[in-house]
Amino acid sequence: MSQEVKQESSARRFFKGLWVTFALFGRVFRILLLVALVLGLLLGIVYTLDLDEKVRDQFEGRRWELPARVFARPLDMYEGQQLYADHLEEELKLLNYRAIDKPVETGQYQRQGNKFVINTRGFQFADDKEPARSIKINVANGKIASLAYADGKNPLDLMRLEPVLIGNFYPRKNEDRVLVRQKDVPPLLVGGLVAVEDRKFYEHQGVNPMAIARAMVANLKAGHTVQGGSTLTQQLVKNFYLTSERSWHRKIKEATMAFLLEMRYTKQDIMEAYLNEIHLGQDGDRAIHGFGLAAQFYFNRPVWELKPDQIALLIGLAKGAGYYDPRLHPDRALERRNLVLQVMLTEKAITQAAYTESIAQPLGVSEKKPSGNSPFPAYLDLVRQQLQRDYKEEDVRSQGLMIFTAMDPIVQLTAETILQNRVGRLERAQRIPKGKLNGALIISSVQGGEVMALVGSRDVRYAGYNRALTAQRQIGSLVKPAIYLAALENPKKYNLATRISDGPVTVKLGSKKYWQPQNYDRGNMGAVTLLKAITLSRNTPAVRVGVGVGLDKVVRTLHDLGIGGDIPAYPSILLGALEMSPIDVQQMYQTIAAGGSYSPLKAIRSVMNPHGQVLTRYPLTVKQVASPEAADLLIYAMNQVTEVGTAKELSSTLPSWKKVAGKTGTTNDKKDSWFAGFSGQHVVTVWVGRDDNKPTILTGGTGALKVWADLFKVLPTKPLQVANSSRLVWVDVDQSTGLRFNPACGKAIRTPFIKGTQPQQMSYCEPPVSADPVAPEPATAAPLPPAAPVVVAAPAKKKADSSGWIDDLMQ
């Protein structure tokens, strides 16, 4: 074989081998490629299934962490209801109703003197739904004189104005939104969104390839991003599930999830989610999500009351809420709004007439953004305390609860103004350094114990230290009603005519230990009736009575009246060496005002979930903890405190028909000034003092009483019905002896008694003798000699048997 043949054969074998090698490699490559494709397909399926599960879990479960909304009481309206015209208008303003000449839409009203025409919005309450109505109402002499539908054809027996939103409890992410349904938003909002953001929304399956292609071409020509190709569904996915990361991986994930979302849910579901999810603004740390909240945030109105120009502005914000912020960048916002209006006109979402009218409108954004912080932080603290007994903190912050309270916004605002003004005046009058004097005030209803207003500080908008709930201060003479109530519950030994020594008293505390309390004026009035001792807030009689009934009995009475926690049975508590918060004092006086019936103070009436289901109701609970007859006598005595006693200033300050009862309280060195009292409708506690616990030079009568009087001058209330119970009888008694009055001598004091306990013996005196038939002059009773100091041993802490002491204590 020739050399050439050998070389050709060798080359053939080489190429044949090479071909075999390539063929083998190709087969392996194809196998590997097939395996890779299969693995890729499997991984893609797993990845897609994982995304699908994520889409379903969040979209079908709880889509958002929703803040809890806290509402004031609704304003009930019916003929005869107590209401003033100015108060009604103030409430309408708090609800962001707009005053116009002729109301034609919801959220509008007209006022002419004391007559109103109101187009209400309606509201879903915990028990029923109040429809939107057009009503006319006439207010006269502090009452609703007439109530009817605005057309004048039908009367209206009862209706409720929607409650004022007074606060929110936000999720930890601080996202805020007001959920809306698509049926509740103007059709123009949905039509405008489709026209501006996604014209093929109802045609594509989550991704619009043509829109993406157009955007890529436009962006390449411009050299930067000028147009987006995302559909509304993709925008929802980005906001709902993903981050703002810019990458191909995120884009692929976004497109896949958008496709899955479209496969599983209707266009209406997706649009409704978009309406509630889109980010439309920022208020500090609070993120404004959804058109429901954005309508309130920018225009102070619900979304269904938006005009076309306002709808266009909100749609424009979807492109960039920060960049087009109308409060920070009004020129940009106006330009963007007008562009949106132009697109809406081009796409026939609005008519030419609507466009012409809208384009001429200013931005119309409210100058001051509605704060996400509660304007009533002190009251919200009380709501939170009550919620914590029944709900987890996380549920309160994320479940979208609707919490209906008893707060009266008009009473709350009135109380805030009065406390601020009067405490400021007291501070200046006493030359206390500016800002050092502070105060707290609580108002509740006599029947039911609902807290209508709570002021925790002069700085009423400061969400910080709440003195009304947490400040523990000595209460001074505010404790005395509990002492006398404990005594009056033993009518065989005590009544209002019982005489008690006002002289010096020494209480033996132990071996060689004595306590010698004194009267505030260091004086001695001799023997005084129990009524006079209460009226003038005498110290030594209170100590004598307290030791007489037993310290343990006084402590039990305090607990029965609603004071929780440990109360040491020391004699010093009889003069108020006992620390309480204003809310504790309020509870104690609430029970007294209700005739000895204990009802826990409460802020919340009911709690409802976002679907209108009532989760919890807080009904009235009542427990009789004191003798009603004894409470009647005590209330009469406390009324006398305001007529002729330490708070007699009220008798000349308040109108004569505003009968009230109350008690002053002053602590050692005048560090704390208190007044707690009640009318027939309201219970009010006021504390005034310094946070640094330095003296204020104010007594209960010169400090807290001034605030209390200022409030009751303007607070619409019902007068106190004093000792008119059939359980009592009235008897004229001699003020010097406490016996039945003898017309021949002495001075009569008409006094109530529990039936069967009134004095039977008549006061004795020598009748005047006269030879002539002239009307005799009553003889003057000889004054009693000063009482000697009485030394009594304080009872053991665990035993308080008062029998055997009472005779020694009576003078």
Side-chain angles (χ1 to χ4, degrees):
M1 186 178 295
S2 66
Q3 187 67 28
E4 290 181 358
V5 172
K6 289 181 179 179
Q7 289 179 349
E8 182 179 351
S9 177
S10 177
R12 188 179 296 130
R13 286 195 303 272
F14 172 76
F15 283 112
K16 185 177 180 180
L18 186 62
W19 173 255
V20 170
T21 302
F22 274 121
L24 181 61
F25 178 78
R27 183 180 299 174
V28 171
F29 178 77
R30 286 194 300 273
I31 292 172
L32 290 175
L33 181 61
L34 181 61
V35 169
L37 289 172
V38 171
L39 286 176
L41 181 61
L42 290 174
L43 288 174
I45 292 172
V46 171
Y47 179 71
T48 303
L49 289 174
D50 181 64
L51 291 181
D52 184 56
E53 184 178 1
K54 184 176 181 181
V55 166
R56 286 187 293 108
D57 283 349
Q58 188 159 346
F59 208 83
E60 293 178 3
R62 192 179 61 184
R63 298 180 186 178
W64 298 282
E65 288 191 339
L66 299 174
R69 305 283 182 199
V70 185
F71 295 93
R73 59 94 187 99
L75 180 59
D76 293 323
M77 295 197 287
Y78 52 88
E79 287 189 15
Q81 163 73 324
Q82 191 178 63
L83 186 65
Y84 287 89
D86 288 345
H87 289 173
L88 174 56
E89 184 166 34
E90 183 66 27
E91 185 130 354
L92 291 171
K93 290 178 179 177
L94 288 172
L95 289 165
N96 296 312
Y97 275 62
R98 300 175 300 284
I100 66 169
D101 292 335
K102 188 176 181 180
V104 293
E105 299 175 353
T106 59
Q108 298 177 342
Y109 75 95
Q110 174 198 53
R111 179 181 181 181
Q112 293 179 333
N114 290 337
K115 296 180 179 180
F116 293 80
V117 174
I118 307 171
N119 285 355
T120 69
R121 296 187 175 117
F123 192 82
Q124 178 63 61
F125 288 98
D127 48 2
D128 62 7
K129 184 172 183 177
E130 178 74 27
R133 313 174 192 255
S134 182
I135 66 167
K136 60 180 181 181
I137 179 172
N138 183 22
V139 180
N141 300 320
K143 291 184 179 180
I144 297 178
S146 64
L147 177 67
Y149 286 97
D151 59 13
K153 296 179 180 178
N154 298 300
L156 185 58
D157 296 328
L158 171 68
M159 69 155 293
R160 288 185 289 183
L161 201 60
E162 66 265 30
V164 175
L165 178 68
I166 62 173
N168 307 279
F169 297 125
Y170 292 109
R172 302 197 184 280
K173 293 180 181 178
N174 239 23
E175 289 186 1
D176 195 6
R177 57 173 51 80
V178 174
L179 284 185
V180 294
R181 302 299 179 194
Q182 185 172 341
K183 64 183 177 63
D184 297 325
V185 305
L188 181 58
L189 175 56
V190 175
L193 276 171
V194 171
V196 174
E197 294 292 330
D198 189 357
R199 299 173 197 171
K200 301 293 184 180
F201 174 71
Y202 292 104
E203 300 172 18
H204 62 64
Q205 294 299 312
V207 179
N208 186 348
M210 293 301 296
I212 294 174
R214 282 197 306 270
M216 291 180 64
V217 171
N219 294 339
L220 287 172
K221 286 182 178 179
H224 58 91
T225 302
V226 295
Q227 186 175 327
S230 295
T231 63
L232 283 175
T233 313
Q234 287 177 276
Q235 292 179 40
L236 174 62
V237 166
K238 184 176 69 174
N239 281 272
F240 207 40
Y241 300 100
L242 306 176
T243 66
S244 297
E245 173 195 359
R246 289 178 175 270
S247 67
W248 283 108
H249 173 264
R250 191 194 67 77
K251 273 294 188 183
I252 294 171
K253 190 174 183 180
E254 175 189 296
T256 304
M257 294 179 80
F259 177 74
L260 292 170
L261 202 62
E262 291 271 359
M263 284 186 63
R264 287 198 171 272
Y265 304 103
T266 67
K267 292 290 185 179
Q268 181 174 335
D269 290 334
I270 294 169
M271 175 59 74
E272 198 166 272
Y274 183 91
L275 290 170
N276 287 296
E277 173 59 26
I278 191 70
H279 177 257
L280 294 173
Q282 200 72 27
D283 179 24
D285 292 336
R286 181 174 67 126
I288 308 301
H289 284 263
F291 287 90
L293 181 61
Q296 297 178 8
F297 184 68
Y298 292 108
F299 301 110
N300 272 326
R301 61 178 65 188
V303 66
W304 55 85
E305 291 180 6
L306 293 177
K307 303 293 186 183
D309 58 289
Q310 296 167 334
I311 289 172
L313 176 61
L314 297 188
I315 291 173
L317 291 176
K319 186 176 181 180
Y323 187 81
Y324 295 108
D325 187 326
R327 292 190 179 98
L328 297 178
H329 310 293
D331 292 339
R332 292 180 193 167
L334 185 63
E335 182 180 358
R336 175 65 181 166
R337 184 205 70 175
N338 291 345
L339 177 60
V340 169
L341 286 169
Q342 180 64 57
V343 173
M344 290 166 69
L345 175 65
T346 302
E347 296 297 318
K348 297 182 172 52
I350 58 173
T351 64
Q352 180 65 50
Y355 170 80
T356 303
E357 181 180 354
S358 299
I359 205 80
Q361 298 298 320
L363 283 175
V365 174
S366 59
E367 184 175 344
K368 186 177 180 181
K369 64 176 70 171
S371 174
N373 298 322
S374 171
F376 309 111
Y379 193 92
L380 225 58
D381 288 340
L382 181 62
V383 174
R384 185 182 287 106
Q385 279 189 6
Q386 189 175 340
L387 281 173
Q388 286 172 346
R389 297 198 295 263
D390 301 312
Y391 292 90
K392 296 178 181 178
E393 177 76 10
E394 184 60 32
D395 291 341
V396 170
R397 290 180 174 273
S398 64
Q399 296 282 0
L401 302 179
M402 299 178 71
I403 301 158
F404 299 97
T405 75
M407 195 194 91
D408 187 316
I410 302 303
V411 174
Q412 176 73 32
L413 292 171
T414 301
E416 291 174 353
T417 301
I418 283 171
L419 182 79
Q420 288 176 313
N421 291 345
R422 177 56 76 168
V423 171
R425 290 169 60 187
L426 291 170
E427 186 177 70
R428 292 188 294 272
Q430 299 298 330
R431 297 183 179 180
I432 297 172
K434 187 175 181 180
K436 292 296 184 181
L437 192 64
N438 221 310
L441 188 155
I442 306 170
I443 306 174
S444 63
S445 58
V446 171
Q447 301 302 323
E450 291 188 327
V451 179
M452 306 165 69
L454 187 146
V455 188
S457 166
R458 285 174 68 183
D459 188 356
V460 296
R461 304 291 169 252
Y462 174 62
Y465 184 53
N466 191 332
R467 291 152 190 81
L469 300 182
T470 58
Q472 296 290 321
R473 310 291 293 219
Q474 287 197 0
I475 63 171
S477 293
L478 291 187
V479 76
K480 290 176 182 175
I483 299 170
Y484 291 115
L485 180 61
L488 292 168
E489 287 196 292
N490 186 356
K492 293 183 179 179
K493 293 186 177 180
Y494 292 98
N495 58 52
L496 293 181
T498 301
R499 299 175 78 222
I500 312 291
S501 172
D502 187 55
V505 62
T506 299
V507 180
K508 187 175 182 179
L509 303 176
S511 178
K512 298 181 180 180
K513 291 183 178 180
Y514 299 91
W515 179 47
Q516 296 179 311
Q518 295 180 320
N519 288 314
Y520 178 77
D521 62 0
R522 304 290 196 271
N524 175 6
M525 301 178 72
V528 297
T529 62
L530 190 145
L531 175 60
K532 191 170 185 178
I534 299 174
T535 302
L536 299 180
S537 195
R538 306 300 289 177
N539 286 346
T540 58
V543 172
R544 283 184 163 88
V545 172
V547 173
V549 300
L551 292 178
D552 283 359
K553 169 63 174 172
V554 173
V555 170
R556 281 199 305 274
T557 300
L558 285 167
H559 283 314
D560 288 342
L561 292 175
I563 306 303
D566 182 53
I567 301 176
Y570 300 142
S572 58
I573 69 169
L574 299 174
L575 295 184
L578 175 66
E579 290 187 345
M580 291 186 193
S581 65
I583 194 72
D584 291 332
V585 172
Q586 181 76 4
Q587 180 67 77
M588 172 180 166
Y589 278 73
Q590 171 76 36
T591 307
I592 294 172
S597 295
Y598 168 74
S599 295
L601 290 174
K602 64 177 183 178
I604 305 173
R605 291 178 172 176
S606 62
V607 178
M608 187 172 75
N609 68 16
H611 308 295
Q613 297 172 318
V614 178
L615 304 178
T616 312
R617 294 188 188 275
Y618 294 88
L620 172 64
T621 58
V622 179
K623 179 183 179 183
Q624 193 69 38
V625 296
S627 159
E629 296 86 355
D632 287 343
L633 294 180
L634 178 63
I635 290 171
Y636 170 73
M638 294 173 67
N639 167 251
Q640 291 301 292
V641 171
T642 70
E643 298 282 349
V644 295
T646 55
K648 63 183 178 182
E649 176 185 331
L650 293 174
S651 64
S652 59
T653 301
L654 302 181
S656 58
W657 64 269
K658 278 191 176 181
K659 281 193 173 295
V660 295
K663 186 70 190 72
T664 53
T666 309
T667 56
N668 288 339
D669 301 323
K670 299 181 181 176
K671 292 179 180 178
D672 299 278
S673 171
W674 292 90
F675 191 82
F678 45 89
S679 65
Q681 185 178 358
H682 298 100
V683 185
V684 178
T685 295
V686 177
W687 168 82
V688 174
R690 293 178 58 155
D691 292 329
D692 58 14
N693 211 29
K694 290 183 179 180
T696 64
I697 325 177
L698 295 169
T699 65
T702 60
L705 177 64
K706 303 289 186 182
V707 180
W708 202 94
D710 288 349
L711 177 66
F712 270 84
K713 286 178 189 175
V714 298
L715 180 67
T717 192
K718 295 177 181 177
L720 181 67
Q721 300 299 315
V722 181
N724 64 348
S725 168
S726 60
R727 298 183 290 258
L728 306 180
V729 294
W730 287 80
V731 176
D732 287 338
V733 300
D734 183 90
Q735 73 167 4
S736 299
T737 65
L739 302 176
R740 276 186 175 270
F741 173 63
N742 186 340
C745 59
K747 184 177 180 181
I749 298 291
R750 191 159 181 78
T751 306
F753 293 86
I754 298 172
K755 278 185 177 179
T757 67
Q758 62 269 32
Q760 302 299 320
Q761 183 181 352
M762 186 171 288
S763 179
Y764 175 80
C765 65
E766 291 291 336
V769 178
S770 175
D772 302 320
V774 178
E777 296 181 2
T780 304
L784 290 169
V790 178
V791 180
V792 295
K797 190 172 182 180
K798 297 297 181 182
K799 185 177 180 181
D801 183 6
S802 62
S803 60
W805 299 352
I806 189 68
D807 294 334
D808 293 335
L809 294 175
M810 300 301 175
Q811 299 297 314

